[in-house]
Amino acid sequence: ATARQLAAAPLEKGGTEVCGVEVIVGMDSIKSMPPLPTHIAIGDNRRRMQIASCLDLSWATIIHPAAVVDVTATIGEGALVLAGAVVQVDALLGDHVIINDNATVEHDCIVGTGAHVSCNACLAGGAVVGRCSLVGLGASVLPGIHVGDFSIVGAGAVVTRSLQNNVTAVGIPARVAG
């Protein structure tokens, strides 16, 4: 596929339906719609939050029926918890968070606004993931460890020490790259 085809692909979904819900593309189109609960289905954390900041809408929080979310967990507006995910006791998920398929957020964890915990990733008890951060596929964050804002934990990494803001960490144990 060319860069032009890839760039146009999301626009081609406009006017279609996913699970019976119309896909709307473009800020002008969204702003012209009646104010209905809306979900921003974009994986890019920063872009998702930029869009959220431009729109004054009621945000739809979506929890898949095959997810397990403890009744004491707090889930922010516009969050998405997908199939097989587990969100345990007293966990706190910020607005517009993505907890992907089969991810685990253990007790007392905090996942900051706009963050994404990828498929099969695990946050152990009391771990904190900062705003707009990404915990990659199959990565683990040990108990009580903090991942800073706008940071990336690479796929399969094991975070054994807290990470600062705006870093990328990879490996076992996770080390800041570059």
Side-chain angles (χ1 to χ4, degrees), residues 22-170:
E22 183 181 0
V23 175
I24 310 282
V25 177
M27 295 296 275
D28 291 336
S29 297
I30 293 168
K31 288 179 180 178
S32 69
M33 300 292 293
L36 299 171
T38 303
H39 183 79
I40 304 170
I42 296 174
D44 181 314
N45 295 343
R46 289 179 194 245
R47 184 70 181 129
R48 189 170 61 256
M49 294 312 300
Q50 287 171 342
I51 291 169
S53 70
C54 293
L55 298 170
D56 184 22
L57 296 172
S58 171
W59 298 112
T61 298
I62 300 171
I63 300 174
H64 192 282
V68 176
V69 178
D70 189 84
V71 297
T72 64
T74 302
I75 313 293
E77 293 182 342
L80 176 63
V81 181
L82 290 169
V86 177
V87 180
Q88 290 287 16
V89 175
D90 292 331
L92 172 62
L93 307 183
D95 295 342
H96 304 286
V97 161
I98 298 172
I99 306 299
N100 224 311
D101 298 327
N102 300 311
T104 301
V105 179
E106 282 294 344
H107 66 89
D108 302 302
C109 286
I110 298 171
V111 180
T113 295
H116 181 170
V117 180
S118 297
C119 301
N120 298 311
C122 181
L123 306 181
V128 176
V129 175
R131 188 168 47 98
C132 288
S133 288
L134 170 68
V135 178
L137 295 166
S140 299
V141 180
L142 296 186
I145 298 298
H146 290 230
V147 173
D149 295 344
F150 303 100
S151 290
I152 298 171
V153 175
V158 178
V159 184
T160 60
R161 294 183 183 192
S162 292
L163 300 173
Q164 299 296 317
N165 296 338
N166 298 300
V167 299
T168 297
V170 297

